[in-house]
Amino acid sequence: ESLRFVSSDIMFSVALLLLVCVVASAQNLTIPFAFPLFSQCDSKWGDDIMVTKTICEVGCLMSSTSMGLAGANIPIKRSLGSTPKTLNEWLKRNDGYDDSNDMYETVVPLIDPARITWPDDGMHKTNDLSYETVRSYLDKGRIVIANVHDGGHFVLLTGYSEEDGDTFAVNDPGYSTTSYSYSDDVVGYRIFDMVREE
């Protein structure tokens, strides 16, 4: 039965990936690398407690990070891979949150120090990077998480528009939004370097 559960998760992730690719091609977006889309309110983990609140309530940064890990094929639990559930469990065991449910980005590399880095340029509390710089990061495979909604939400950047120089494709863990504006929506970034494995 657990094989059937894993198989249905994989089929669901593939279906979502195909949908994202179709939407991206309709908007002329370039998606350099594939990432699964995890909803922070998914019934498999949405009610799990982080510190004092649930993943569904405040787990957007952590869920976006788990998508980055999964896209780079960096497992937290070998048999289950990287999901908001497995990352949250790991962070709780490894002092990965502060008392306000905020994730300590510096703890994430401890999952696999040979493959994950929280670089010196990982924290951007403002939109202080050019669109071209972020685009180059995505092309290089850097994990770029954007802070949107006036600082109240995080999403994984998955691609960009070569035409308008302003649109980012995203995997949004909390909403059905598939793109955000660089100039109107993004107010900061969190960046990880992860060594991909196919």
Side-chain angles (χ1 to χ4, degrees):
E1 178 153 356
S2 62
L3 182 58
R4 204 173 309 134
F5 174 74
V6 171
S7 177
S8 67
D9 279 354
I10 291 169
M11 289 186 343
F12 179 71
S13 292
V14 169
L16 284 174
L17 179 60
L18 290 173
L19 176 63
V20 167
C21 290
V22 169
V23 170
S25 65
Q27 296 178 349
N28 292 320
L29 297 174
T30 299
I31 312 290
F33 297 95
F35 294 92
L37 173 61
F38 296 141
S39 168
Q40 66 194 69
C41 293
D42 188 298
S43 62
K44 292 185 217 67
W45 50 71
D47 291 333
D48 292 2
I49 298 294
M50 294 168 66
V51 177
T52 59
K53 296 191 176 186
T54 67
I55 293 174
C56 185
E57 291 175 299
V58 296
C60 54
L61 176 58
M62 185 275 297
S63 295
S64 294
T65 304
S66 74
M67 289 187 262
L69 290 163
N73 286 319
I74 299 175
I76 295 163
K77 289 186 174 181
R78 297 262 178 235
S79 60
L80 298 177
S82 299
T83 67
K85 182 174 197 67
T86 58
L87 179 55
N88 180 54
E89 290 170 353
W90 187 91
L91 289 167
K92 287 167 59 172
R93 286 192 311 272
N94 291 277
D95 299 318
Y97 294 116
D98 68 16
D99 291 339
S100 301
N101 301 281
D102 290 330
M103 183 181 80
Y104 291 125
E105 291 89 345
T106 55
V107 174
V108 174
L110 299 177
I111 294 167
D112 189 339
R115 296 183 59 200
I116 307 167
T117 305
W118 172 246
D120 291 339
D121 68 340
M123 176 69 75
H124 293 266
K125 294 186 176 186
T126 62
N127 190 355
D128 59 349
L129 299 172
S130 71
Y131 184 83
E132 292 73 25
T133 297
V134 177
R135 187 176 138 175
S136 74
Y137 289 172
L138 295 173
D139 283 335
K140 292 175 185 170
R142 297 189 89 184
I143 305 303
V144 182
I145 298 168
N147 194 196
V148 296
H149 293 199
D150 295 318
H153 187 52
F154 288 94
V155 298
L156 178 68
L157 298 187
T158 59
Y160 53 84
S161 168
E162 295 191 42
E163 294 175 358
D164 68 17
D166 187 68
T167 303
F168 285 125
V170 302
N171 278 3
D172 188 330
Y175 301 90
S176 58
T177 308
T178 58
S179 65
Y180 282 96
S181 164
Y182 164 80
S183 58
D184 295 335
D185 299 320
V186 177
V187 298
Y189 304 94
R190 304 294 185 272
I191 301 167
F192 291 95
D193 290 319
M194 298 184 187
V195 177
R196 294 178 173 277
E197 236 176 49
E198 299 304 322

